[in-house]
Amino acid sequence: MIYYVFTLLLITYIQTNYCFNNPVPTKSLFKNIRNIGSISVIEPFYDYSFKTNAVLFFTGGSGYMPQDIYTLFLNGAASQNITCYTYNPSLENIDKLINILSTKHNELSIVGHSSGCMTALKSIKNADKIKSVVLFDPVDDRIIYN
């Protein structure tokens, strides 16, 4: 019995120290982007001279869920040299934001979770500027608004 408990503790230690270990430190801040509005950014801590890839992330609740519940996911992405922007409904011009982010970074991907996936899909009009779209557990929220 003690052998199994020790093995379980060892596996847990290895997973937490190696699987979730961030190879690159990250920083979290808010940026005001060209009069579009303030947006939360999680990015690599060090300012590299090369352009990074970026993700525009749409949280659940059609973008109203706080990004704090996605901290592990967003920090994990940022630790892989991906700048993560979190959409918020107070942004005035999402098309302009996508244009700015696509010129600032090598590639821009759209990621959505739950009913944030519908908000993400509605916001994509300049599909030629977006490299990929990833939808986690998409929920169709049209029944709420129609």
Side-chain angles (χ1 to χ4, degrees):
M1 177 69 175
I2 298 222
Y3 172 75
Y4 294 113
V5 171
F6 176 76
T7 303
L8 182 63
L9 289 173
L10 181 63
I11 289 170
T12 304
Y13 173 77
I14 290 171
Q15 285 180 339
T16 56
N17 286 316
Y18 294 102
C19 296
F20 297 114
N21 190 10
N22 293 339
V24 174
T26 62
K27 61 183 173 183
S28 179
L29 57 134
F30 284 92
K31 288 186 180 179
N32 190 10
I33 299 182
R34 297 188 194 168
N35 299 324
I36 295 172
S38 181
I39 190 166
S40 174
V41 182
I42 297 177
E43 61 187 1
F45 184 79
Y46 301 109
D47 186 19
Y48 297 105
S49 59
F50 59 89
K51 285 183 171 182
T52 61
N53 294 333
V55 165
L56 179 56
F57 183 70
F58 291 78
T59 63
S62 301
Y64 286 96
M65 292 295 289
Q67 76 161 23
D68 298 337
I69 62 175
Y70 302 98
T71 301
L72 184 63
F73 169 72
L74 295 172
N75 278 319
S79 72
Q80 301 299 317
N81 290 322
I82 298 171
T83 302
C84 301
Y85 297 88
T86 304
Y87 168 83
N88 67 62
S90 67
L91 294 173
E92 293 188 19
N93 190 340
I94 192 70
D95 292 332
K96 190 173 179 182
L97 175 66
I98 289 173
N99 284 334
I100 291 168
L101 296 180
S102 66
T103 57
K104 184 177 180 181
H105 298 280
N106 286 333
E107 297 175 350
L108 176 64
S109 297
I110 301 294
V111 178
H113 175 248
S114 188
S115 57
C117 296
M118 291 299 292
T119 307
L121 292 175
K122 290 176 197 172
S123 301
I124 301 172
K125 294 179 184 168
N126 295 328
D128 58 324
K129 306 261 185 202
I130 297 167
K131 172 71 174 175
S132 61
V133 177
V134 179
L135 306 175
F136 292 112
D137 299 324
V139 172
D140 187 357
D141 64 354
R142 290 179 291 183
I143 193 166
I144 297 169
Y145 299 109
N146 293 335

